[in-house]
Amino acid sequence: MIPNQLQEEVASLKKAGYQIQLLEAGDKVYVKFKDFPLPLGYNISKTDLLIFTSVAYPSAAFDMFWVNQELLLEDNRIPKAAEHIESHLESLWRRFSIHPYQQKPWNPSEDSLEGYLTYIVKRLNHLV
């Protein structure tokens, strides 16, 4: 079952213009952003973006994120911390192995999908 809080957070982001699907697979809840805009410096201007948590959200945090496997830097190098390709939801994805909650643990009363999305945008900008 997709947690109500996550459904509400996704609805808020949809109002801001994001195209988002919530998908459940076992105990995982995937949040898939369609045509997520990328900063300059990549070989493509937008990508699908995938993150997931568990049905225990918001007690369970997000960790790492995935993009279309063809995403590279504009000079065709692989972005830092994005060397691995993984299969999720019957598609192949480039995994960004970046863990934001190692220094300051996820706090369900403070952290959210929107905050994690802000972190992803910062990381994508710093990887160029």
Side-chain angles (χ1 to χ4, degrees):
M1 177 176 222
I2 297 174
N4 287 337
Q5 182 171 334
L6 187 57
Q7 291 180 46
E8 291 168 7
E9 292 176 14
V10 164
S12 176
L13 288 171
K14 283 182 175 180
K15 287 179 184 175
Y18 290 101
Q19 298 175 55
I20 307 170
Q21 288 181 290
L22 278 173
L23 305 155
E24 195 172 1
D27 67 344
K28 290 182 183 173
V29 178
Y30 289 92
V31 183
K32 183 179 176 185
F33 293 80
K34 181 80 175 149
D35 295 331
F36 191 82
L38 292 166
L40 293 175
Y42 290 95
N43 65 330
I44 54 179
S45 62
K46 57 189 172 183
T47 183
D48 287 348
L49 170 70
L50 185 70
I51 59 176
F52 66 81
T53 186
S54 80
V55 294
Y57 185 85
S59 295
F62 296 104
D63 186 39
M64 302 190 283
F65 61 93
W66 293 259
V67 298
N68 295 114
Q69 68 173 340
E70 67 270 8
L71 183 131
L72 298 168
L73 298 176
E74 64 186 353
D75 62 4
N76 290 322
R77 288 182 298 125
I78 295 171
K80 179 183 173 190
E83 297 84 7
H84 296 285
I85 303 295
E86 295 181 352
S87 177
H88 293 280
L89 303 173
E90 300 180 11
S91 295
L92 294 176
W93 299 85
R94 178 171 302 283
R95 181 186 77 191
F96 277 78
S97 183
I98 299 171
H99 314 281
Y101 301 105
Q102 289 181 339
Q103 294 181 4
K104 180 193 170 286
W106 172 269
N107 182 337
S109 65
E110 296 175 359
D111 296 311
S112 66
L113 173 59
E114 184 176 355
Y116 189 63
L117 191 60
T118 298
Y119 174 81
I120 290 171
V121 170
K122 285 181 188 176
R123 296 308 301 152
L124 287 169
N125 277 296
H126 285 90
L127 291 170
V128 175

Short mmCIF file of all heavy atoms in Angstrom, two decimals, residues 19-76:
data_model
loop_
_atom_site.label_atom_id
_atom_site.label_comp_id
_atom_site.label_asym_id
_atom_site.label_seq_id
_atom_site.Cartn_x
_atom_site.Cartn_y
_atom_site.Cartn_z
N GLN A 19 5.76 15.57 -13.80
CA GLN A 19 5.00 14.40 -14.23
C GLN A 19 5.52 13.22 -13.42
O GLN A 19 6.68 12.84 -13.56
CB GLN A 19 5.23 14.13 -15.71
CG GLN A 19 4.78 15.25 -16.63
CD GLN A 19 5.15 14.92 -18.06
OE1 GLN A 19 4.79 13.87 -18.59
NE2 GLN A 19 5.89 15.82 -18.69
N ILE A 20 4.67 12.65 -12.57
CA ILE A 20 5.12 11.64 -11.62
C ILE A 20 4.16 10.46 -11.62
O ILE A 20 2.95 10.63 -11.66
CB ILE A 20 5.19 12.21 -10.19
CG1 ILE A 20 6.04 13.48 -10.15
CG2 ILE A 20 5.75 11.17 -9.21
CD1 ILE A 20 5.96 14.23 -8.83
N GLN A 21 4.76 9.27 -11.52
CA GLN A 21 4.00 8.04 -11.31
C GLN A 21 4.44 7.44 -9.99
O GLN A 21 5.64 7.43 -9.68
CB GLN A 21 4.29 7.01 -12.39
CG GLN A 21 3.73 7.29 -13.75
CD GLN A 21 4.09 6.15 -14.68
OE1 GLN A 21 5.26 6.00 -15.03
NE2 GLN A 21 3.12 5.35 -15.05
N LEU A 22 3.50 6.92 -9.24
CA LEU A 22 3.80 6.12 -8.06
C LEU A 22 3.53 4.67 -8.41
O LEU A 22 2.45 4.34 -8.90
CB LEU A 22 2.91 6.53 -6.88
CG LEU A 22 3.33 7.74 -6.09
CD1 LEU A 22 2.25 8.12 -5.08
CD2 LEU A 22 4.65 7.50 -5.38
N LEU A 23 4.52 3.81 -8.18
CA LEU A 23 4.40 2.41 -8.54
C LEU A 23 4.82 1.55 -7.36
O LEU A 23 5.83 1.84 -6.70
CB LEU A 23 5.29 2.10 -9.75
CG LEU A 23 5.04 2.98 -10.97
CD1 LEU A 23 6.27 3.06 -11.84
CD2 LEU A 23 3.87 2.44 -11.74
N GLU A 24 4.07 0.51 -7.11
CA GLU A 24 4.37 -0.38 -5.99
C GLU A 24 4.85 -1.72 -6.52
O GLU A 24 4.26 -2.27 -7.45
CB GLU A 24 3.10 -0.54 -5.15
CG GLU A 24 3.34 -1.11 -3.80
CD GLU A 24 2.07 -1.08 -2.94
OE1 GLU A 24 1.02 -0.63 -3.42
OE2 GLU A 24 2.16 -1.52 -1.80
N ALA A 25 5.92 -2.24 -5.93
CA ALA A 25 6.44 -3.56 -6.28
C ALA A 25 6.94 -4.22 -5.00
O ALA A 25 7.98 -3.84 -4.47
CB ALA A 25 7.56 -3.44 -7.31
N GLY A 26 6.17 -5.15 -4.50
CA GLY A 26 6.52 -5.78 -3.22
C GLY A 26 6.44 -4.74 -2.12
O GLY A 26 5.46 -4.00 -2.01
N ASP A 27 7.51 -4.64 -1.33
CA ASP A 27 7.52 -3.64 -0.26
C ASP A 27 8.14 -2.32 -0.69
O ASP A 27 8.28 -1.40 0.10
CB ASP A 27 8.22 -4.18 0.99
CG ASP A 27 9.71 -4.40 0.78
OD1 ASP A 27 10.16 -4.44 -0.38
OD2 ASP A 27 10.42 -4.52 1.79
N LYS A 28 8.50 -2.21 -1.98
CA LYS A 28 9.08 -0.97 -2.50
C LYS A 28 7.99 -0.09 -3.10
O LYS A 28 7.06 -0.58 -3.75
CB LYS A 28 10.12 -1.26 -3.58
CG LYS A 28 11.38 -1.87 -3.07
CD LYS A 28 12.36 -2.07 -4.20
CE LYS A 28 13.62 -2.76 -3.70
NZ LYS A 28 14.52 -3.12 -4.79
N VAL A 29 8.16 1.21 -2.91
CA VAL A 29 7.30 2.20 -3.56
C VAL A 29 8.21 3.07 -4.40
O VAL A 29 9.08 3.77 -3.88
CB VAL A 29 6.52 3.04 -2.54
CG1 VAL A 29 5.66 4.08 -3.27
CG2 VAL A 29 5.65 2.16 -1.65
N TYR A 30 8.02 3.01 -5.72
CA TYR A 30 8.83 3.77 -6.66
C TYR A 30 8.15 5.09 -6.98
O TYR A 30 6.93 5.16 -7.13
CB TYR A 30 9.00 3.00 -7.97
CG TYR A 30 9.89 1.79 -7.87
CD1 TYR A 30 9.36 0.53 -7.58
CD2 TYR A 30 11.25 1.90 -8.10
CE1 TYR A 30 10.18 -0.58 -7.50
CE2 TYR A 30 12.08 0.79 -8.03
CZ TYR A 30 11.54 -0.44 -7.72
OH TYR A 30 12.36 -1.54 -7.65
N VAL A 31 8.96 6.12 -7.08
CA VAL A 31 8.51 7.44 -7.53
C VAL A 31 9.26 7.70 -8.82
O VAL A 31 10.49 7.81 -8.84
CB VAL A 31 8.82 8.54 -6.48
CG1 VAL A 31 8.26 9.88 -6.95
CG2 VAL A 31 8.28 8.15 -5.11
N LYS A 32 8.52 7.76 -9.93
CA LYS A 32 9.13 7.93 -11.24
C LYS A 32 8.73 9.28 -11.83
O LYS A 32 7.55 9.55 -12.03
CB LYS A 32 8.68 6.80 -12.17
CG LYS A 32 9.32 6.84 -13.54
CD LYS A 32 8.82 5.67 -14.39
CE LYS A 32 9.35 5.72 -15.79
NZ LYS A 32 8.78 4.65 -16.62
N PHE A 33 9.75 10.10 -12.06
CA PHE A 33 9.55 11.42 -12.68
C PHE A 33 9.80 11.28 -14.18
O PHE A 33 10.86 10.79 -14.58
CB PHE A 33 10.54 12.44 -12.11
CG PHE A 33 10.31 12.77 -10.67
CD1 PHE A 33 10.76 11.93 -9.67
CD2 PHE A 33 9.66 13.95 -10.32
CE1 PHE A 33 10.56 12.25 -8.33
CE2 PHE A 33 9.46 14.27 -8.99
CZ PHE A 33 9.91 13.41 -7.98
N LYS A 34 8.89 11.72 -14.99
CA LYS A 34 9.02 11.67 -16.45
C LYS A 34 9.62 12.98 -16.94
O LYS A 34 9.22 14.06 -16.50
CB LYS A 34 7.63 11.45 -17.07
CG LYS A 34 7.61 11.36 -18.56
CD LYS A 34 8.04 10.00 -19.02
CE LYS A 34 7.90 9.92 -20.53
NZ LYS A 34 8.86 9.06 -21.12
N ASP A 35 10.60 12.88 -17.84
CA ASP A 35 11.21 14.06 -18.47
C ASP A 35 11.73 15.07 -17.46
O ASP A 35 11.48 16.27 -17.55
CB ASP A 35 10.23 14.73 -19.43
CG ASP A 35 9.88 13.84 -20.61
OD1 ASP A 35 10.73 13.01 -20.99
OD2 ASP A 35 8.77 13.97 -21.14
N PHE A 36 12.48 14.58 -16.49
CA PHE A 36 13.07 15.43 -15.47
C PHE A 36 14.16 16.29 -16.11
O PHE A 36 15.07 15.76 -16.74
CB PHE A 36 13.65 14.57 -14.34
CG PHE A 36 14.03 15.34 -13.12
CD1 PHE A 36 13.08 15.68 -12.18
CD2 PHE A 36 15.35 15.72 -12.93
CE1 PHE A 36 13.44 16.40 -11.05
CE2 PHE A 36 15.71 16.44 -11.80
CZ PHE A 36 14.76 16.77 -10.86
N PRO A 37 14.11 17.62 -15.96
CA PRO A 37 15.10 18.48 -16.61
C PRO A 37 16.49 18.35 -15.98
O PRO A 37 16.62 18.25 -14.76
CB PRO A 37 14.54 19.89 -16.41
CG PRO A 37 13.65 19.78 -15.22
CD PRO A 37 13.12 18.38 -15.20
N LEU A 38 17.51 18.35 -16.83
CA LEU A 38 18.90 18.25 -16.38
C LEU A 38 19.61 19.58 -16.60
O LEU A 38 19.30 20.31 -17.54
CB LEU A 38 19.62 17.16 -17.17
CG LEU A 38 19.15 15.74 -16.90
CD1 LEU A 38 19.68 14.79 -17.96
CD2 LEU A 38 19.57 15.29 -15.51
N PRO A 39 20.60 19.87 -15.76
CA PRO A 39 21.39 21.08 -15.99
C PRO A 39 22.29 20.90 -17.21
O PRO A 39 22.50 19.77 -17.70
CB PRO A 39 22.21 21.21 -14.71
CG PRO A 39 22.31 19.83 -14.18
CD PRO A 39 21.03 19.14 -14.58
N LEU A 40 22.85 21.99 -17.70
CA LEU A 40 23.82 21.90 -18.79
C LEU A 40 25.00 21.05 -18.34
O LEU A 40 25.33 21.02 -17.16
CB LEU A 40 24.30 23.30 -19.18
CG LEU A 40 23.25 24.21 -19.81
CD1 LEU A 40 23.83 25.60 -20.04
CD2 LEU A 40 22.73 23.62 -21.11
N GLY A 41 25.62 20.38 -19.30
CA GLY A 41 26.78 19.57 -19.00
C GLY A 41 26.57 18.09 -19.20
O GLY A 41 27.50 17.29 -19.12
N TYR A 42 25.33 17.69 -19.48
CA TYR A 42 25.01 16.29 -19.75
C TYR A 42 24.75 16.10 -21.24
O TYR A 42 24.51 17.06 -21.96
CB TYR A 42 23.80 15.84 -18.93
CG TYR A 42 24.12 15.75 -17.45
CD1 TYR A 42 23.85 16.80 -16.60
CD2 TYR A 42 24.73 14.62 -16.91
CE1 TYR A 42 24.16 16.74 -15.24
CE2 TYR A 42 25.04 14.54 -15.57
CZ TYR A 42 24.76 15.60 -14.74
OH TYR A 42 25.08 15.53 -13.42
N ASN A 43 24.76 14.87 -21.70
CA ASN A 43 24.56 14.58 -23.11
C ASN A 43 23.09 14.64 -23.53
O ASN A 43 22.79 14.60 -24.72
CB ASN A 43 25.17 13.22 -23.48
CG ASN A 43 24.46 12.06 -22.79
OD1 ASN A 43 23.93 12.19 -21.69
ND2 ASN A 43 24.47 10.91 -23.43
N ILE A 44 22.20 14.74 -22.59
CA ILE A 44 20.77 14.88 -22.86
C ILE A 44 20.22 15.99 -21.96
O ILE A 44 20.83 16.34 -20.94
CB ILE A 44 19.99 13.55 -22.66
CG1 ILE A 44 20.24 12.97 -21.26
CG2 ILE A 44 20.38 12.54 -23.73
CD1 ILE A 44 19.50 11.66 -20.97
N SER A 45 19.08 16.56 -22.34
CA SER A 45 18.54 17.69 -21.57
C SER A 45 17.51 17.27 -20.53
O SER A 45 17.18 18.05 -19.64
CB SER A 45 17.92 18.71 -22.52
OG SER A 45 16.84 18.12 -23.23
N LYS A 46 16.99 16.06 -20.64
CA LYS A 46 16.03 15.56 -19.67
C LYS A 46 16.13 14.05 -19.60
O LYS A 46 16.63 13.39 -20.53
CB LYS A 46 14.61 16.01 -19.99
CG LYS A 46 14.12 15.62 -21.36
CD LYS A 46 12.81 16.29 -21.67
CE LYS A 46 12.45 16.03 -23.14
NZ LYS A 46 11.23 16.71 -23.52
N THR A 47 15.66 13.50 -18.50
CA THR A 47 15.74 12.07 -18.26
C THR A 47 14.56 11.65 -17.41
O THR A 47 13.94 12.48 -16.75
CB THR A 47 17.05 11.71 -17.51
OG1 THR A 47 17.14 10.29 -17.36
CG2 THR A 47 17.11 12.34 -16.13
N ASP A 48 14.25 10.38 -17.42
CA ASP A 48 13.35 9.88 -16.40
C ASP A 48 14.19 9.72 -15.15
O ASP A 48 15.39 9.40 -15.22
CB ASP A 48 12.73 8.55 -16.82
CG ASP A 48 11.68 8.72 -17.92
OD1 ASP A 48 11.28 9.88 -18.20
OD2 ASP A 48 11.28 7.71 -18.51
N LEU A 49 13.60 9.98 -14.02
CA LEU A 49 14.29 9.92 -12.73
C LEU A 49 13.51 8.97 -11.85
O LEU A 49 12.28 9.06 -11.75
CB LEU A 49 14.33 11.32 -12.11
CG LEU A 49 14.80 11.41 -10.66
CD1 LEU A 49 16.29 11.11 -10.54
CD2 LEU A 49 14.49 12.80 -10.09
N LEU A 50 14.22 8.05 -11.22
CA LEU A 50 13.57 7.04 -10.39
C LEU A 50 14.18 7.05 -9.00
O LEU A 50 15.40 7.08 -8.86
CB LEU A 50 13.76 5.66 -11.02
CG LEU A 50 13.04 4.49 -10.36
CD1 LEU A 50 11.54 4.59 -10.58
CD2 LEU A 50 13.57 3.17 -10.92
N ILE A 51 13.33 7.06 -8.00
CA ILE A 51 13.76 6.87 -6.62
C ILE A 51 12.79 5.89 -5.99
O ILE A 51 11.70 5.64 -6.52
CB ILE A 51 13.81 8.19 -5.83
CG1 ILE A 51 12.45 8.87 -5.80
CG2 ILE A 51 14.87 9.12 -6.41
CD1 ILE A 51 12.43 10.13 -4.94
N PHE A 52 13.18 5.32 -4.87
CA PHE A 52 12.22 4.47 -4.18
C PHE A 52 12.44 4.49 -2.68
O PHE A 52 13.49 4.86 -2.18
CB PHE A 52 12.18 3.05 -4.73
CG PHE A 52 13.42 2.22 -4.53
CD1 PHE A 52 13.70 1.59 -3.33
CD2 PHE A 52 14.32 2.04 -5.58
CE1 PHE A 52 14.82 0.82 -3.17
CE2 PHE A 52 15.45 1.27 -5.44
CZ PHE A 52 15.70 0.65 -4.21
N THR A 53 11.39 4.12 -2.00
CA THR A 53 11.38 3.97 -0.56
C THR A 53 10.58 2.70 -0.28
O THR A 53 10.36 1.89 -1.18
CB THR A 53 10.77 5.23 0.12
OG1 THR A 53 10.89 5.10 1.53
CG2 THR A 53 9.33 5.46 -0.27
N SER A 54 10.14 2.52 0.94
CA SER A 54 9.33 1.35 1.26
C SER A 54 7.94 1.79 1.69
O SER A 54 7.66 2.98 1.85
CB SER A 54 9.99 0.52 2.37
OG SER A 54 9.72 1.08 3.64
N VAL A 55 7.09 0.82 1.92
CA VAL A 55 5.73 1.11 2.37
C VAL A 55 5.73 1.71 3.77
O VAL A 55 4.71 2.20 4.23
CB VAL A 55 4.83 -0.14 2.31
CG1 VAL A 55 4.63 -0.59 0.87
CG2 VAL A 55 5.41 -1.27 3.15
N ALA A 56 6.89 1.73 4.44
CA ALA A 56 7.01 2.33 5.78
C ALA A 56 7.25 3.84 5.73
O ALA A 56 7.39 4.47 6.77
CB ALA A 56 8.14 1.66 6.55
N TYR A 57 7.30 4.44 4.52
CA TYR A 57 7.51 5.87 4.40
C TYR A 57 6.46 6.62 5.21
O TYR A 57 5.30 6.21 5.22
CB TYR A 57 7.41 6.29 2.92
CG TYR A 57 7.73 7.74 2.67
CD1 TYR A 57 9.03 8.15 2.50
CD2 TYR A 57 6.73 8.71 2.65
CE1 TYR A 57 9.34 9.50 2.29
CE2 TYR A 57 7.02 10.04 2.45
CZ TYR A 57 8.33 10.42 2.27
OH TYR A 57 8.63 11.75 2.08
N PRO A 58 6.79 7.64 5.96
CA PRO A 58 8.02 8.43 5.97
C PRO A 58 9.09 7.94 6.95
O PRO A 58 10.15 8.55 7.06
CB PRO A 58 7.54 9.82 6.36
CG PRO A 58 6.41 9.55 7.29
CD PRO A 58 5.73 8.32 6.73
N SER A 59 8.82 6.85 7.65
CA SER A 59 9.86 6.32 8.54
C SER A 59 11.05 5.79 7.76
O SER A 59 12.17 5.78 8.26
CB SER A 59 9.28 5.22 9.43
OG SER A 59 8.30 5.77 10.29
N ALA A 60 10.82 5.34 6.54
CA ALA A 60 11.89 4.85 5.67
C ALA A 60 12.34 5.97 4.75
O ALA A 60 11.53 6.67 4.17
CB ALA A 60 11.38 3.67 4.85
N ALA A 61 13.64 6.11 4.62
CA ALA A 61 14.23 7.20 3.83
C ALA A 61 14.37 6.82 2.36
O ALA A 61 14.18 5.67 1.98
CB ALA A 61 15.61 7.54 4.39
N PHE A 62 14.74 7.81 1.56
CA PHE A 62 15.20 7.58 0.19
C PHE A 62 16.71 7.40 0.24
O PHE A 62 17.37 7.90 1.16
CB PHE A 62 14.86 8.78 -0.71
CG PHE A 62 13.39 9.02 -0.87
CD1 PHE A 62 12.76 10.06 -0.19
CD2 PHE A 62 12.64 8.21 -1.70
CE1 PHE A 62 11.42 10.29 -0.34
CE2 PHE A 62 11.28 8.43 -1.86
CZ PHE A 62 10.67 9.48 -1.17
N ASP A 63 17.25 6.71 -0.74
CA ASP A 63 18.70 6.54 -0.82
C ASP A 63 19.05 6.26 -2.27
O ASP A 63 18.48 5.35 -2.87
CB ASP A 63 19.15 5.38 0.07
CG ASP A 63 20.66 5.25 0.15
OD1 ASP A 63 21.34 6.29 0.22
OD2 ASP A 63 21.15 4.11 0.16
N MET A 64 19.95 7.03 -2.82
CA MET A 64 20.39 6.92 -4.21
C MET A 64 19.27 7.37 -5.15
O MET A 64 18.14 7.62 -4.73
CB MET A 64 20.88 5.52 -4.55
CG MET A 64 22.03 5.06 -3.68
SD MET A 64 22.81 3.54 -4.25
CE MET A 64 21.63 2.32 -3.71
N PHE A 65 19.62 7.47 -6.43
CA PHE A 65 18.61 7.75 -7.45
C PHE A 65 19.09 7.16 -8.77
O PHE A 65 20.27 6.86 -8.95
CB PHE A 65 18.28 9.24 -7.56
CG PHE A 65 19.41 10.15 -7.94
CD1 PHE A 65 19.65 10.50 -9.26
CD2 PHE A 65 20.24 10.69 -6.96
CE1 PHE A 65 20.67 11.37 -9.60
CE2 PHE A 65 21.26 11.57 -7.29
CZ PHE A 65 21.49 11.90 -8.61
N TRP A 66 18.15 6.99 -9.70
CA TRP A 66 18.41 6.34 -10.98
C TRP A 66 17.90 7.22 -12.11
O TRP A 66 16.89 7.90 -11.97
CB TRP A 66 17.71 4.98 -11.01
CG TRP A 66 18.28 3.99 -10.05
CD1 TRP A 66 19.15 2.97 -10.34
CD2 TRP A 66 18.05 3.90 -8.64
NE1 TRP A 66 19.47 2.28 -9.19
CE2 TRP A 66 18.81 2.84 -8.14
CE3 TRP A 66 17.29 4.64 -7.73
CZ2 TRP A 66 18.82 2.48 -6.79
CZ3 TRP A 66 17.30 4.29 -6.39
CH2 TRP A 66 18.05 3.22 -5.94
N VAL A 67 18.59 7.18 -13.22
CA VAL A 67 18.23 7.93 -14.42
C VAL A 67 18.32 7.01 -15.63
O VAL A 67 18.82 5.89 -15.53
CB VAL A 67 19.15 9.16 -14.60
CG1 VAL A 67 19.02 10.13 -13.43
CG2 VAL A 67 20.60 8.73 -14.78
N ASN A 68 17.89 7.52 -16.79
CA ASN A 68 18.01 6.72 -18.01
C ASN A 68 19.46 6.28 -18.19
O ASN A 68 20.39 7.06 -17.97
CB ASN A 68 17.58 7.52 -19.24
CG ASN A 68 16.11 7.86 -19.19
OD1 ASN A 68 15.76 9.03 -19.09
ND2 ASN A 68 15.24 6.89 -19.25
N GLN A 69 19.65 5.05 -18.61
CA GLN A 69 21.00 4.50 -18.68
C GLN A 69 21.90 5.22 -19.67
O GLN A 69 23.11 5.22 -19.53
CB GLN A 69 20.96 3.00 -18.99
CG GLN A 69 20.48 2.67 -20.39
CD GLN A 69 20.63 1.20 -20.70
OE1 GLN A 69 21.39 0.49 -20.07
NE2 GLN A 69 19.90 0.75 -21.71
N GLU A 70 21.35 5.89 -20.66
CA GLU A 70 22.18 6.58 -21.66
C GLU A 70 22.72 7.92 -21.16
O GLU A 70 23.55 8.54 -21.84
CB GLU A 70 21.42 6.77 -22.97
CG GLU A 70 20.25 7.72 -22.92
CD GLU A 70 18.92 7.06 -22.57
OE1 GLU A 70 18.89 5.86 -22.22
OE2 GLU A 70 17.90 7.75 -22.65
N LEU A 71 22.30 8.37 -19.99
CA LEU A 71 22.79 9.66 -19.49
C LEU A 71 24.30 9.59 -19.21
O LEU A 71 24.78 8.71 -18.52
CB LEU A 71 22.07 10.05 -18.20
CG LEU A 71 22.50 11.42 -17.67
CD1 LEU A 71 21.28 12.26 -17.35
CD2 LEU A 71 23.38 11.29 -16.46
N LEU A 72 25.02 10.54 -19.81
CA LEU A 72 26.46 10.71 -19.63
C LEU A 72 26.74 12.20 -19.52
O LEU A 72 25.87 13.02 -19.78
CB LEU A 72 27.23 10.14 -20.82
CG LEU A 72 27.09 8.65 -21.10
CD1 LEU A 72 27.67 8.30 -22.47
CD2 LEU A 72 27.74 7.82 -20.01
N LEU A 73 27.97 12.54 -19.17
CA LEU A 73 28.37 13.94 -19.26
C LEU A 73 28.48 14.30 -20.74
O LEU A 73 28.58 13.41 -21.60
CB LEU A 73 29.70 14.15 -18.55
CG LEU A 73 29.68 13.84 -17.04
CD1 LEU A 73 31.07 13.99 -16.45
CD2 LEU A 73 28.69 14.73 -16.31
N GLU A 74 28.48 15.58 -21.06
CA GLU A 74 28.48 15.98 -22.47
C GLU A 74 29.73 15.53 -23.22
O GLU A 74 29.70 15.42 -24.45
CB GLU A 74 28.27 17.49 -22.62
CG GLU A 74 29.35 18.34 -22.03
CD GLU A 74 28.99 19.82 -22.07
OE1 GLU A 74 27.96 20.21 -22.67
OE2 GLU A 74 29.73 20.60 -21.48
N ASP A 75 30.82 15.22 -22.51
CA ASP A 75 32.02 14.71 -23.17
C ASP A 75 32.04 13.18 -23.20
O ASP A 75 33.07 12.56 -23.44
CB ASP A 75 33.29 15.26 -22.51
CG ASP A 75 33.43 14.84 -21.06
OD1 ASP A 75 32.60 14.04 -20.56
OD2 ASP A 75 34.39 15.31 -20.40
N ASN A 76 30.88 12.56 -22.94
CA ASN A 76 30.65 11.11 -22.97
C ASN A 76 31.31 10.34 -21.83
O ASN A 76 31.38 9.12 -21.88
CB ASN A 76 31.02 10.49 -24.32
CG ASN A 76 30.05 10.92 -25.39
OD1 ASN A 76 28.85 11.03 -25.14
ND2 ASN A 76 30.55 11.21 -26.57
#
